[in-house]
Amino acid sequence: HAWGNHELYNFSRARLARSGLCSRPAGGSQGPADGECHAYHCSPAPRLRLVLLDAYDLSTLGTDPGGARYQESLRVLRQNNPNDDLNSPAGLEKPYFVAFNGGFSQAQLDWFDEVLKFSDENQEKVIVAAHVPIHPGASNGVCLAWNYEAALSVIHSHGCVVCVLAGHLHDGAYCLDSHGVHHLTLEGLIETPPESTAFATVHVYEDKMVLKGRGRIPDRVMDF
């Protein structure tokens, strides 16, 4: 479960952590030391690793307004967005600095780097998932993680990542980046006409991922 803004509009991170929407392994051994960061990794098959990132690790959503996490996130947001409405990208040099997006703490990025280092050493292929896209080519320029460049830098410093899956941008998007990593932003059910649907199944093979879409999500083959 990749928590996003719609979950955090309705529930605190603490409540989500106690709910059925929390799939991070108990004890935190598979995720960052910060218990509030909902990131983890697992190996569903030999030489394949799934890494789920918390794209709202830095965010004003779902956190205690009196806490350090909220205050730091608000500082970063206001530093880049002077608008009265912090959900408005109007006039911004970096239009992704809006309240409905979020970012990654340095602690999470350091943990992510260590996970990918392990996968490099063990010749694993890695699929990354996060609610918010981390590549401009898989975004509309607004629906993008605050510090997406830092996350991309971690990915590109390793050779194991084959695909990054995201949501958030309801229209969906796709790009193959300069390092050969597939960035797939899946179309959202939320803006799908009632007579259609939007879901998909991914089949993972040694040399490719095959996306079988339904409704407004098209089929796609992503070679490694």
Side-chain angles (χ1 to χ4, degrees):
H1 298 105
W3 296 348
N5 50 314
H6 292 275
E7 286 75 36
L8 296 169
Y9 288 151
N10 292 285
F11 306 105
S12 68
R13 297 179 70 88
R15 183 170 176 187
L16 284 169
R18 299 190 302 269
S19 77
L21 291 177
C22 181
S23 47
R24 178 179 172 180
S29 59
Q30 295 293 87
D34 179 359
E36 290 190 41
C37 178
H38 183 66
Y40 68 87
H41 65 96
C42 61
S43 179
R47 297 179 62 192
L48 175 68
R49 189 161 301 278
L50 173 68
V51 180
L52 186 141
L53 297 178
D54 184 347
Y56 289 85
D57 191 12
L58 291 178
S59 172
T60 56
L61 302 178
T63 57
D64 178 9
R69 184 187 298 266
Y70 178 93
Q71 293 300 324
E72 173 60 15
S73 300
L74 184 61
R75 183 192 68 78
V76 171
L77 185 55
R78 289 199 180 280
Q79 183 179 334
N80 292 277
N81 186 341
N83 295 329
D84 291 335
D85 179 4
L86 290 174
N87 275 323
S88 172
L92 300 185
E93 180 182 346
K94 299 177 178 178
Y96 46 88
F97 273 102
V98 286
F100 57 78
N101 292 334
F104 310 99
S105 68
Q106 189 57 52
Q108 184 179 182
L109 292 171
D110 291 344
W111 166 84
F112 186 34
D113 185 56
E114 288 299 317
V115 173
L116 297 189
K117 188 182 302 181
F118 175 89
S119 290
D120 277 346
E121 292 169 353
N122 289 274
Q123 298 182 307
E124 294 180 333
K125 291 182 172 66
V126 176
I127 299 169
V128 176
H131 181 72
V132 184
I134 60 173
H135 194 289
S139 167
N140 62 351
V142 176
C143 292
L144 195 60
W146 290 349
N147 54 345
Y148 73 89
E149 292 167 308
L152 275 179
S153 178
V154 173
I155 289 172
H156 291 161
S157 66
H158 299 276
C160 54
V161 177
V162 295
C163 183
V164 179
L165 300 172
H168 200 48
L169 175 60
H170 301 160
D171 289 337
Y174 167 82
C175 78
L176 180 66
D177 75 19
S178 59
H179 288 67
V181 178
H182 299 276
H183 293 263
L184 177 63
T185 302
L186 294 161
E187 289 81 355
L189 185 64
I190 191 170
E191 291 181 24
T192 298
E195 66 274 9
S196 185
T197 189
F199 68 94
T201 303
V202 177
H203 301 268
V204 183
Y205 301 93
E206 288 283 342
D207 60 345
K208 63 181 177 290
M209 290 170 59
V210 177
L211 181 79
K212 299 298 292 181
R214 299 291 184 271
R216 64 194 289 244
I217 298 184
D219 294 346
R220 190 182 300 275
V221 177
M222 294 170 282
D223 294 309
F224 302 152

